[in-house]
Each structure stands twice: as C-alpha cells, then as structure tokens.
Amino acid sequence: MAKQLSEDERFYRMTEAPLGKVISSLAIPCIISNLITTIYNMADTFFIGKLSTSASGAVGIALSAMSLIQAMGFFFGQGAGNNVSRLLGAHKTEEASKLTATAFFTCILVSTVFAGCGIFWIEPICRALGATETILPYAVSYLRIIFIGAPFMANGYFLNQQLRYQGLSFYGMIGMGFGGILNMVLDPVFIFAFDMGIAGAALATILSQIISFSILLVCLQTKGEVRIRLRDVSPSAARYKAIYRGGLPSLARQAIGSFAAAALNNAAGVYGDAAVAAMAIVTKIGNFTNACVLGYGQGFQPVCGFCYGAKKYRRVKDAFLYCLRLGTLILVILCAAEAVFAPTLIEVFRKGDPEVTRFGSIALRYHCITFWLTGFSIMNTMLFQVIGKTYKSTVLGLARQGLCLIPVLAVMPALIGEAGVQAAQCAADLIATVIGIIMLKSVWKELSLLEGA
C-alpha cells in the first residue's frame, strides 16, 4: 500500500526529489491502469470477434461514442486537475476543493443529459458513426447499454484524473485495475454462458465501470488532499473558466478523436465490414501501444503543475525531456515488434476471416512507420495543458486526429483507394509532428526566459 504523504512531504517530492524516481513512481501506476483499461477494451474486441465480422465492426462504431463519454470525464477531470496541481503547488487548498466539487457535480449533470440524448437518438448516431446495414443491429445493441452507464463511466474518468493530479496515481490504478479485471472475467460469462451476445459485452463493461467509479470515489474521499464535498460546490464564471481552460485540450483531443474514428469507419466501410473490423482492431492495438507513453505523460503532469506553480521552471523542462526520451524509446521498440508480427496480432482478435487479416496487417504496418513520433505530441500537449497554454494545447490535441487525419481521409482514399485508408494515420502523424515542433519552440523560449528571470 502506498504511504500517504503530508502536504509538505508531497510538495517536496514534486519539487525537489530526483526526477526519474518521482516521475516513475507516479507513471508506473498510470501505465498499469492504462494497460488494464486498454486490455479490457481489447477483451471486448477479442470476445466479440468470436461472434462475427459484423459484430467486430460494431466495436469500432462504439469506440467513437465511448470516446465522447471519456471526453466529458477528461474535460472536467483534467480541467479541474490541471488547476488543482498548480493550486496545491501554491498552497491554495481551499480553492482547489471548491474547484473539484464544482467540476464533479457539473460532470454528473452533463453526462446524464448526454446519456439521455444518446439513448433517444441511438440509431441515427450509429449510422453517423459509420455503421453499415449489417453492422447497425450490433452497434445499437451494444451502445444502448453503454449510454445507460455513461454517467458512471465519465465520472470514473473524472475521479481517476483527480487522484492522479494530487500525486495519488496508485489509488487510481487500484480503481481502474479492479474494474478492468472484472470486465475481462464478465465478458465471456455474459456473451457466451448467458448467451447475451454483444449486449453481454456492453453489460460487462458498464458493471465494471460502476465498480471502478465506486472504488475511485472511496479512494479520493479517504486518501485525497482535496476531497469532494457538496458544501464546496461553488459555481462561478471564474471557476468554469478555469475548468474550461484546463480541460479544453482534452475535450478537443477526445472529441476530435471520436469524429476521426467515425470518418475512418465511413472511409473503411466502402470496402466492406471486414475493413471496418480491421481498422477497429488496428485502433485498439494502437491504443495499447500508446498506453505506456501516455502513462509517463500522466506521471509528468502533476510534477509539471507543482513545479510551475512553485516557479521551478528548470525542473519543468528537465521533466519534459526525461519523459520524451523514455517515451520515444518505448514506442520505437513496440512499433518494431508490431510491424514484424502484424498478421498474428490481427488474427488474435478476428481469426478465420482472411480479408480482415490482410487489410488490418497492411494498415498496422503503415501505422508503425510513424506511430513512434506520437510520444512527442503527447508530451507537448500535456506540457502546454498544465502550464496554461490552453489554445496551443488544444490545437496540438486537434492536430493528429482532426486537423490532419480527417482531411487526409478526405483525400488519400480518393487518390490511392484502400491504401489511402490504411496509410492515413501515418501521413497525419508526420504532419502533426511538424506542427508540434513549431509550437514547442515558442513555449520553450518562454520557459527559458522565466527560468532566467
């Protein structure tokens, strides 16, 4: 069990302790939590893949909607969390408590309204997300249950962010990890033993999210320096502006990811259900690869926030470079392995359909050519977000899967056919990296000036 630190001990740890040690101690629980979350999402793909190719395609459709649910949790969670880490660094605990409570209860309200709209318009939503006529029944069956549990899912992500920004990522790992393991256990039970099919996978996911939410809430209320109390809810224009500024990059990144996934589904749908299923599998593999580097970025953010609030700008830069080097190395190794074993990885999730294997293997290998560059984009976005560069972070968050991928998908398939679908993300990653380099130059110069002031 992780030792609970006092406020002064936590401040010293974030601002003075050796960077490698403190970032790794914060990042490893995040990595484990991310991997477990990704694995249980992949478990859905694995078990649903045993039903049919159309059912596998429905997972890709659902991914777009679930990204929007995550977006709400990340918007309010990181919107409050980015500010909370800076407020704690400046020893303003009371304001941190009011901001957290206001964000939490607002997230409950917004996610509940979103769930109601999703259930009411479920069939048009599935069609807009790229469902073909054969995929549509599976997508509707799956997403109806997901929408019912959306408030628990969104607020589970909110609570995980709060624990992370307070330097308590260990407890976030416990909550997310337990829910993830439960999901993997329940999937085959509901899908096959209870003969619920794809609806069983959705029910397993939501029950697991409810359990995760409950554990995370208990952990925050018992271990957090900033806890959620109804009496601290204090809506104000200033607080909502702070949440908006801190959370907009995450909202933009997640929301545009949803739209990009829908664009990818629609582009792949021209080549049949097998293409939609293949691209859904490639996306899940990419999410797994991304989880490790994302975890290091999540370990970096509270350190960055505390140090920026404490005016330790040199340490902010050193922490950024440490995570960038390590994250890029991890991605290079993983991308090389995935390129070599691409057909095998695709067949893990949908064996017996040669067209899924063929289409997905080519797409995964294209993906690996440039995916190792995404560590740079992740660290840039997180740095900008924490130090209050809202619009720079938002633009960068939009770049990879919005400003770059969606236009590429509009052009490349028309020029080179199915290869345009398979290689679209590769091209988008190259463009996004160039944008990131240009934007980092000005921020790095500003940090250097502050350091010397």
Side-chain angles (χ1 to χ4, degrees):
M1 180 64 67
K3 177 187 175 184
Q4 188 169 1
L5 303 176
S6 69
E7 181 178 347
D8 289 340
E9 288 173 327
R10 186 172 293 119
F11 180 82
Y12 172 82
R13 180 191 185 204
M14 295 293 188
T15 59
E16 300 291 342
L19 274 175
K21 182 177 180 181
V22 67
I23 290 176
S24 294
S25 69
L26 292 169
I28 289 172
C30 292
I31 292 169
I32 293 172
S33 177
N34 290 341
L35 286 174
I36 291 173
T37 301
T38 305
I39 287 170
Y40 82 68
N41 284 332
M42 293 172 81
D44 274 4
T45 306
F46 174 79
F47 289 114
I48 290 171
K50 296 184 178 299
L51 298 174
S52 69
T53 296
S54 295
S56 292
V59 175
I61 304 303
L63 183 63
S64 299
M66 293 171 73
S67 291
L68 290 177
I69 297 170
Q70 289 178 329
M72 285 183 287
F74 285 156
F75 172 70
F76 288 103
Q78 294 196 15
N82 278 304
N83 289 282
V84 164
S85 65
R86 293 199 299 271
L87 289 168
L88 292 177
H91 299 289
K92 298 179 179 178
T93 306
E94 183 179 350
E95 177 56 27
S97 297
K98 291 181 179 179
L99 191 64
T100 300
T102 301
F104 176 72
F105 287 103
T106 305
C107 185
I108 290 176
L109 176 62
V110 172
S111 59
T112 301
V113 172
F114 177 87
C117 293
I119 294 168
F120 187 78
W121 285 297
I122 189 164
E123 189 167 319
I125 287 172
C126 289
R127 290 184 186 277
L129 294 177
T132 64
E133 289 302 319
T134 45
I135 288 175
L136 183 63
Y138 294 100
V140 168
S141 180
Y142 188 87
L143 273 179
R144 181 177 286 115
I145 295 172
I146 294 297
F147 280 134
I148 291 171
F152 291 99
M153 185 181 292
N155 286 281
Y157 285 113
F158 174 93
L159 294 169
N160 189 35
Q161 299 304 312
Q162 295 311 299
L163 287 164
R164 184 166 65 81
Y165 278 103
Q166 293 182 47
L168 299 170
S169 54
F170 173 84
Y171 296 103
M173 177 191 70
I174 296 298
M176 300 300 289
F178 189 86
I181 292 169
L182 181 63
N183 195 163
M184 288 185 279
V185 171
L186 292 179
D187 260 341
V189 174
F190 289 159
I191 294 171
F192 303 114
F194 291 172
D195 196 27
M196 294 179 65
I198 196 169
L203 181 59
T205 296
I206 289 307
L207 288 177
S208 301
Q209 292 285 349
I210 291 172
I211 297 298
S212 284
F213 168 84
S214 302
I215 294 172
L216 291 166
L217 183 59
V218 170
C219 288
L220 183 65
Q221 297 299 76
T222 57
K223 304 297 182 181
E225 184 177 335
V226 176
R227 302 175 186 182
I228 296 171
R229 294 173 296 215
L230 186 59
R231 68 173 182 268
D232 285 335
V233 177
S234 304
S236 70
R239 292 193 179 96
Y240 281 123
K241 182 178 179 180
I243 293 167
Y244 166 80
R245 290 178 62 86
L248 180 61
S250 294
L251 177 65
R253 185 170 59 249
Q254 288 292 125
I256 204 66
S258 176
F259 297 133
L264 186 60
N265 290 333
N266 280 285
V270 173
Y271 303 98
D273 288 4
V276 177
M279 295 311 297
I281 292 169
V282 171
T283 299
K284 289 295 180 77
I285 294 171
N287 289 343
F288 178 84
T289 310
N290 200 43
C292 294
V293 179
L294 185 61
Y296 263 98
Q298 290 168 337
F300 160 75
Q301 281 187 300
V303 175
C304 178
F306 268 80
C307 292
Y308 194 79
K311 304 186 186 305
K312 294 182 177 289
Y313 305 113
R314 177 73 253 176
R315 187 171 170 88
V316 170
K317 293 165 64 179
D318 288 344
F320 174 87
L321 293 172
Y322 172 84
C323 292
L324 177 60
R325 293 187 190 107
L326 188 58
T328 301
L329 177 62
I330 291 170
L331 282 175
V332 168
I333 294 170
L334 290 175
C335 285
E338 288 169 10
V340 171
F341 298 105
T344 303
L345 290 171
I346 298 298
E347 288 186 346
V348 166
F349 299 98
R350 182 56 187 158
K351 191 171 184 178
D353 190 327
E355 183 59 15
V356 173
T357 302
R358 182 195 69 81
F359 199 99
S361 298
I362 296 170
L364 182 55
R365 283 173 171 154
Y366 275 124
H367 194 69
C368 291
I369 292 172
T370 56
F371 193 72
W372 60 273
L373 294 170
T374 59
F376 177 70
S377 296
I378 289 170
M379 294 309 306
N380 263 5
T381 303
M382 291 186 167
L383 171 66
F384 297 165
Q385 189 171 3
V386 173
I387 66 174
K389 304 298 180 183
T390 304
Y391 297 108
K392 287 181 182 291
S393 183
T394 301
V395 169
L396 196 56
L398 289 171
R400 181 173 180 259
Q401 290 192 307
L403 300 177
C404 301
L405 180 58
I406 293 176
V408 166
L409 280 169
V411 174
M412 284 182 61
L415 295 176
I416 56 177
E418 68 174 41
V421 177
Q422 295 161 326
Q425 188 65 72
C426 174
D429 286 342
L430 283 173
I431 300 169
T433 300
V434 174
I435 294 172
I437 291 171
I438 294 170
M439 295 179 70
L440 180 62
K441 284 184 177 180
S442 62
V443 173
W444 203 257
K445 182 178 180 180
E446 181 179 331
L447 286 172
S448 297
L449 291 172
L450 289 170
E451 181 188 350

